[in-house]
Amino acid sequence: MKVVIVGGVAGGASAAARLRRLDETAQILLLERSGYISYANCGLPYYVGGTIQDADELTLQTPESFWNRFRIEVRVRHEVLSIDRKAKRITVKDLAAGKIYTEQYDKLILAPGAKPIRPALPGIESKKIYTLRTVEDTFQIRRAATENSCRSAIVVGGGFIGVEMAENLRDLGMEVALVEKQNQLLGQLDRDMVSFIHGHMRQNGVHLFLGQSVRGFANADQKISVELEGARTLQADMVILALGVTPESSLAKEAGLALGQRGSIIVNNQMQTSDENIYAVGDAVEITHRVTGKKTLISLAGPANKQGRIAADAICGFKSRYKGAVASSVLKVFQMTAASTGINERTARALGIDYEKVILSPASHASYYPGGTVMTIKLLFAKEDRRILGAQIVGFDGVDKRIDVIATAMQANLQVTDLCDLDLAYAPPYSSAKDPVNMAGFMGENVITGKVKQFFYEDLQNLPQDGSVILLDTRTAGEYRQGHAEGFDRHIPVDALRERLEELDPKKPVYVMCQSGLRSYIACRILMQKGYDCYNFAGGYRFYRSVRTEEQAAAQAFPCGMEKNNYTKKTEG
């Protein structure tokens, strides 16, 4: 049996290695258009920023190492031009020699990945505009940033690559602006949760231009100008285009394979395309989202690796099945970490899912052990069957392991209340006896059983300010003096609440806020048992302050030295 694999990296290289482990007699040929077969594509931004110093560390396998270990033939700089399905033959171009030849196959695996989006904007062909996909792209950006006296960069696009590149270019000491068409970065997070990331990036010197589209580019002396809607223009030494990716499915389309959304390749649960002899894996394929049950595209390394393994199993006669993904992801943003799994509120609303949510701000480990930091967790679950729909976590430490626990619970079809019973490892340097994941379960159970009623940031604007309701802050006097939510003029510390109940009219609903949501929950339990109609603010004042500050920041204009007029004035001075 001869198996030809088109494309390396996560999906293709994983399929090749798995094939050899399953079948020592198969003839396996891997063709890769770039000069590198298997590389750490998620690590590319960190080579640009200098965190990864040795370029060789980016290369996980070479053609030589693949041959020595697996006896798999690898040809880099070879591009597959077409597929003849009837003849089971592909046409290949050796890019180094310029030679075109054909190869027969018994089974074919397509792992072409996805390509960066380059919109048809004026000036898009400027040599000062870069995209990041391959190791070669990385070297080019690194040279441009370090060898050409680059001191400023504009990143267009606020997804994974855009945020990572902004951080790494700042690590090089460059002035960085990030332009995003939507009113927030990182679309996998809800806007309230990403407010923490926005604030942190601004603190680290990244100029954010949110809700602003790019109209075009123009070379200007040694600079490049980026024209935004509204006649605003930025100038910098280079531009990183990070507008997302689209499936690289041209080969599949020309071969007549069935395609799905955005031109992705349709596969079954064994990664088999509409041609029984052709399989496809990775960023180019359409898969099932395990929460929604709908077809989707998920461009992440984890799913691609698993798909490569399953395609190899299928070719060798094993009955492995790909069950879909919940799109778990984690991202370093300077000193912070942002992670998510499943779906967010926007998606739940768009799909008409009746859901509930809890928001909490637990410590990363026991509060009495030095070095603990606060994280914010937002967890969604379905009202009907209590299944976990998704979670988002932003913080400094311990974020990754909590999102993995929740993702695992989702894969196991646990209900939100099952999180209460998870027996998780505890020691003061790592967690608390009641882990943040347990706490999320406790809160979900309290909501389900009616032990607490909640209100949220989006509800604040509708709360009456005419005295018909009580807006109560239960923090300490010192905390209250440092700031409180608008309208929350009644202040009674939770520890004094029982003795001061006569100050609250039992006929009026009470909306309670504290720093994290814990003390206000305790206050609500006191009040509810005394007959009050009480509501606890989800997330606490800390959450309120982050979202409120971001709303105020987004409403203001933030000039920076990279704006064209400012730059011109500085030059003339």
Side-chain angles (χ1 to χ4, degrees):
M1 177 175 64
K2 181 177 180 179
V3 181
V4 178
I5 303 172
V6 181
V9 198
S14 294
R18 177 69 169 176
L19 276 167
R20 176 56 75 223
R21 291 194 296 269
L22 297 177
D23 188 345
E24 187 65 22
T25 65
Q27 180 185 353
I28 306 171
L29 171 63
L30 194 154
L31 303 168
E32 167 59 44
R33 181 169 51 188
S34 76
Y36 297 84
I37 167 193
S38 179
Y39 53 88
N41 51 352
C42 295
L44 299 182
Y46 300 99
Y47 178 75
V48 172
T51 301
I52 299 174
Q53 296 282 340
D54 187 352
D56 291 339
E57 294 294 327
L58 296 173
T59 305
L60 305 177
Q61 292 282 356
T62 65
E64 294 75 21
S65 68
F66 234 54
W67 175 259
N68 293 336
R69 176 66 57 84
F70 298 111
R71 294 300 188 268
I72 292 173
E73 183 182 1
V74 175
R75 300 175 193 166
V76 295
R77 303 285 296 155
H78 280 65
E79 180 178 7
V80 176
L81 303 178
S82 63
I83 302 169
D84 185 338
R85 292 166 52 193
K86 186 175 182 180
K88 298 175 70 172
R89 181 173 60 229
I90 59 173
T91 302
V92 186
K93 182 175 183 179
D94 181 338
L95 298 177
K99 175 185 175 183
I100 296 178
Y101 62 96
T102 61
E103 285 281 352
Q104 296 292 135
Y105 66 83
D106 295 307
K107 301 293 182 181
L108 182 67
I109 300 178
L110 301 179
K115 58 185 177 182
I117 295 172
R118 291 184 70 97
L121 294 173
I124 191 69
E125 300 304 323
S126 170
K127 295 186 180 300
K128 294 184 180 295
I129 299 176
Y130 302 88
T131 57
L132 181 62
R133 181 189 186 189
T134 66
V135 174
E136 290 90 343
D137 294 337
T138 309
F139 293 157
Q140 189 179 27
I141 294 171
R142 172 77 180 182
R143 283 193 299 269
T146 59
E147 297 178 7
N148 298 334
S149 300
C150 278
R151 292 186 294 179
S152 58
I154 299 167
V155 179
V156 181
F160 289 115
I161 294 296
V163 170
E164 288 175 339
M165 285 303 301
E167 174 186 350
N168 280 277
L169 292 171
R170 280 295 295 156
D171 286 347
L172 290 177
M174 298 175 67
E175 188 170 11
V176 177
L178 195 159
V179 180
E180 166 57 46
K181 182 178 181 180
Q182 304 302 319
N183 61 5
Q184 68 164 84
L185 306 176
L186 301 175
Q188 71 272 23
L189 302 180
D190 286 315
R191 194 179 180 194
D192 50 10
M193 290 295 289
V194 84
S195 66
F196 294 97
I197 298 299
H198 290 175
H200 189 62
M201 293 190 73
R202 289 192 176 102
Q203 290 172 8
N204 281 275
V206 178
H207 306 288
L208 298 183
F209 292 84
L210 304 177
Q212 301 194 43
S213 299
V214 174
R215 296 181 59 184
F217 307 90
N219 291 324
D221 297 326
Q222 300 301 312
K223 302 281 181 178
I224 181 169
S225 293
V226 179
E227 183 181 353
L228 308 181
E229 288 186 351
R232 196 171 197 174
T233 302
L234 306 177
Q235 280 193 343
D237 296 311
M238 63 189 303
V239 167
I240 306 295
L241 207 60
L243 295 172
V245 295
T246 186
E248 179 67 275
S249 57
S250 55
L251 264 179
K253 181 179 180 180
E254 292 167 7
L257 298 178
L259 302 180
Q261 56 183 298
R262 292 173 54 194
S264 57
I265 305 170
I266 293 177
V267 294
N268 62 18
N269 59 12
Q270 287 197 296
M271 311 314 297
Q272 191 176 44
T273 70
S274 54
D275 185 317
E276 64 179 1
N277 295 308
I278 302 178
Y279 296 75
V281 300
D283 294 353
V285 305
E286 181 184 76
I287 65 171
T288 300
H289 197 293
R290 291 191 62 160
V291 174
T292 67
K294 297 185 179 298
K295 297 298 182 180
T296 188
L297 297 173
I298 297 178
S299 298
L300 295 169
N305 274 283
K306 297 178 183 70
Q307 293 160 17
R309 178 185 177 93
I310 287 170
D313 283 2
I315 289 172
C316 293
F318 293 91
K319 298 185 182 299
S320 300
R321 298 287 189 273
Y322 186 67
K323 299 177 182 179
V326 294
S328 301
S329 66
V330 64
L331 178 71
K332 176 183 178 294
V333 187
F334 294 100
Q335 294 78 35
M336 293 194 82
T337 300
S340 68
T341 187
I343 62 174
N344 57 25
E345 279 200 82
R346 291 193 310 278
T347 302
R349 286 195 296 267
L351 294 174
I353 298 174
D354 192 13
Y355 68 94
E356 187 59 85
K357 61 183 175 180
V358 294
I359 302 170
L360 60 156
S361 298
S364 58
H365 61 244
S367 58
Y368 59 84
Y369 188 89
T373 58
V374 176
M375 67 179 73
T376 301
I377 301 176
K378 181 179 187 178
L379 186 138
L380 277 62
F381 59 93
K383 287 185 179 180
E384 181 181 8
D385 57 11
R386 304 180 183 179
R387 67 189 176 102
I388 304 168
L389 300 173
Q392 303 160 52
I393 311 179
V394 177
F396 294 88
D397 183 40
V399 169
D400 53 339
K401 72 175 183 177
R402 272 64 186 223
I403 206 72
D404 283 343
V405 171
I406 295 172
T408 302
M410 293 171 64
Q411 297 270 87
N413 296 316
L414 298 186
Q415 295 182 348
V416 63
T417 49
D418 292 322
L419 299 181
C420 305
D421 301 320
L422 293 182
D423 190 3
L424 304 175
Y426 158 62
Y430 304 106
S431 184
S432 299
K434 292 184 289 189
D435 188 85
V437 175
N438 296 136
M439 293 299 298
F442 296 150
M443 292 179 65
E445 183 182 54
N446 286 338
V447 171
I448 290 168
T449 57
K451 294 183 180 70
V452 67
K453 293 185 288 188
Q454 301 183 99
F455 70 108
F456 302 96
Y457 184 87
E458 57 268 28
D459 299 323
L460 290 172
Q461 61 183 348
N462 297 320
L463 291 180
Q465 301 289 329
D466 58 2
S468 60
V469 300
I470 300 171
L471 305 181
L472 175 64
D473 191 308
T474 59
R475 294 175 298 155
T476 65
E479 289 173 320
Y480 188 76
R481 283 194 298 269
Q482 292 176 10
H484 59 273
E486 183 178 350
F488 280 72
D489 299 326
R490 186 72 61 89
H491 172 241
I492 302 176
V494 66
D495 293 341
L497 182 59
R498 291 180 179 88
E499 289 70 36
R500 297 174 59 180
L501 285 176
E502 71 279 358
E503 299 178 27
L504 305 178
D505 186 345
K507 297 179 180 178
K508 295 180 180 180
V510 185
Y511 292 83
V512 190
M513 185 180 293
C514 74
Q515 189 69 13
S516 68
L518 176 59
R519 284 172 287 175
S520 53
Y521 163 66
I522 295 171
C524 278
R525 290 304 303 150
I526 295 171
L527 293 169
M528 289 177 71
Q529 293 178 77
K530 295 293 184 178
Y532 288 82
D533 184 17
C534 189
Y535 300 83
N536 184 32
F537 181 72
Y541 178 74
R542 177 180 173 273
F543 186 80
Y544 165 88
R545 183 179 59 194
S546 177
V547 181
R548 182 67 171 164
T549 300
E550 177 54 32
E551 284 186 345
Q552 293 170 342
Q556 299 175 16
F558 286 96
C560 68
M562 298 167 69
E563 290 192 83
K564 184 175 181 180
N565 292 339
N566 290 347
Y567 177 80
T568 303
K569 291 176 182 177
K570 287 184 178 182
T571 304
E572 291 172 350

